[in-house]
């Protein structure tokens, strides 16, 4: 049973458009949500993250919108660039002794020039 | 210079054999992790170590044994290899601020393991 779900599985947008990647979760104890970006042949790299006490986090062209009541997040990439073509993972974790990140299956984004 | 080194980059093994995956981090972090990425499955947490002590083990099999000989090393020994073990194994590390789950985990480039 997947605790973190992502949609769509793949997404293609044109350069300059806004890409919207969705994430939902089940466990209400999750309180921290990092998004990772992964290029082929590389390890995931932290892109942006949000705590459950916030409903929005912005970093340049990347914005996370968080709806705690609905247990949903979305990552908006504005002015998409071909260099943004990658797989994006939504992850979640909870406060405690573990630092376990629970990942979704990812969304593969293709930005067409 | 790479901050997290994983060796080897690629590894081919035969069923039943044993392999060790190497991970070294030069970020000065106190916590290290192993994750596995298989086809059509999410990145899966395996182990976490803090100050060289095992904090969490989410692997069901004792065939996977982490080994921490130094603070910045966390190797992964896999015994009695099976084809299902074929995956990319990622090492990660974080600063380990006391009581915080929001330390960024930095991932290495991974070791791609193929078991025939």
């Amino acid at each position: 049973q997947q605790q973190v779900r992502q949609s769509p599985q793949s997404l293609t947008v044109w350069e300059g458009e806004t890409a919207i990647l969705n994430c939902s979760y089940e466990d209400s104890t999750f309180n921290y949500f990092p998004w990772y970006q992964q290029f082929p042949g590389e390890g995931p790299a932290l892109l942006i993250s949000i705590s459950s006490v916030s409903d929005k986090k912005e970093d340049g062209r990347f914005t996370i919108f968080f709806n705690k009541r609905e247990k949903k997040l979305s990552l908006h990439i504005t002015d998409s660039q071909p260099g943004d073509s990658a797989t994006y993972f939504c992850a979640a974790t909870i406060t405690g002794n573990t630092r376990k990140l629970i990942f979704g299956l990812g969304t593969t984004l293709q930005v067409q020039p | 210079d790479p901050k997290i080194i994983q060796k080897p980059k690629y590894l081919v093994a035969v069923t039943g054999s044993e392999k060790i995956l190497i991970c070294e981090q030069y970020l000065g972090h106190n916590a290290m992790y192993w994750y596995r990425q298989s086809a059509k499955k999410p990145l899966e947490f395996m182990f976490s170590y803090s100050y060289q002590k095992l904090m969490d083990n989410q692997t069901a099999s004792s065939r996977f044994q982490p080994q921490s000989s130094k603070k910045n090393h966390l190797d992964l020994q896999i015994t009695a290899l099976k084809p299902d073990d074929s995956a990319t194994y990622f090492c990660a590390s974080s600063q380990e601020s006391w009581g915080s789950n929001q330390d960024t985990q930095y991932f290495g480039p991974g070791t791609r393991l193929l078991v025939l």
Side-chain angles (χ1 to χ4, degrees):
Chain A
Q1 184 182 5
Q2 267 182 262
Q3 297 188 61
V4 176
R5 298 177 186 271
Q6 290 188 249
S7 65
Q9 184 177 346
S10 62
L11 177 64
T12 300
V13 300
W14 293 105
E15 184 174 354
E17 291 186 333
T18 296
I20 299 176
L21 289 64
N22 300 303
C23 178
S24 63
Y25 62 97
E26 297 175 2
D27 192 332
S28 58
T29 62
F30 289 155
N31 63 356
Y32 176 63
F33 304 88
W35 284 79
Y36 279 81
Q37 180 188 55
Q38 186 180 30
F39 295 104
E42 298 182 9
L46 180 69
L47 182 66
I48 185 172
S49 62
I50 193 166
S51 166
S52 59
V53 299
S54 302
D55 56 14
K56 181 180 176 181
K57 178 80 173 287
E58 196 168 348
D59 184 357
R61 298 186 293 109
F62 302 92
T63 302
I64 300 174
F65 294 92
F66 178 57
N67 185 323
K68 187 172 184 178
R69 184 178 59 83
E70 295 188 7
K71 298 180 187 173
K72 291 182 178 179
L73 307 88
S74 60
L75 174 67
H76 292 226
I77 306 174
T78 58
D79 188 24
S80 296
Q81 301 297 309
D84 296 331
S85 298
T87 299
Y88 293 81
F89 294 99
C90 174
T93 189
I94 59 173
T95 302
N97 288 332
T98 184
R99 301 290 183 262
K100 175 175 69 174
L101 288 176
I102 299 168
F103 284 85
L105 278 167
T107 294
T108 299
L109 173 67
Q110 185 73 29
V111 181
Q112 301 278 22
Chain B
D1 291 337
K3 303 297 186 185
I4 300 181
I5 296 172
Q6 289 191 243
K7 294 185 285 191
K9 187 172 178 64
Y10 301 99
L11 188 55
V12 179
V14 296
T15 297
S17 66
E18 171 183 316
K19 293 294 180 186
I20 296 179
L21 281 56
I22 306 294
C23 177
E24 306 169 11
Q25 57 91 3
Y26 295 94
L27 294 163
H29 288 165
N30 299 310
M32 296 186 71
Y33 314 84
W34 278 102
Y35 287 82
R36 173 168 55 195
Q37 188 173 42
S38 308
K40 311 221 171 178
K41 289 185 179 179
L43 263 160
E44 177 187 13
F45 172 90
M46 299 179 73
F47 300 98
S48 67
Y49 267 66
S50 177
Y51 295 90
Q52 290 189 268
K53 291 187 179 179
L54 178 66
M55 299 298 292
D56 196 358
N57 176 359
Q58 294 287 315
T59 58
S61 172
S62 60
R63 296 187 300 108
F64 296 86
Q65 290 293 328
Q67 299 171 344
S68 181
S69 59
K70 299 180 187 178
K71 178 185 168 185
N72 68 327
H73 282 231
L74 185 64
D75 301 335
L76 181 64
Q77 180 185 39
I78 313 175
T79 58
L81 277 161
K82 302 178 180 180
D84 276 353
D85 297 331
S86 298
T88 300
Y89 291 81
F90 289 101
C91 174
S93 70
S94 67
Q95 182 60 43
E96 186 66 358
S97 303
W98 182 254
S100 170
N101 67 326
Q102 299 189 10
D103 291 333
T104 299
Q105 291 188 22
Y106 296 85
F107 285 75
T111 291
R112 292 191 179 181
L113 172 65
L114 176 63
V115 183
L116 302 174

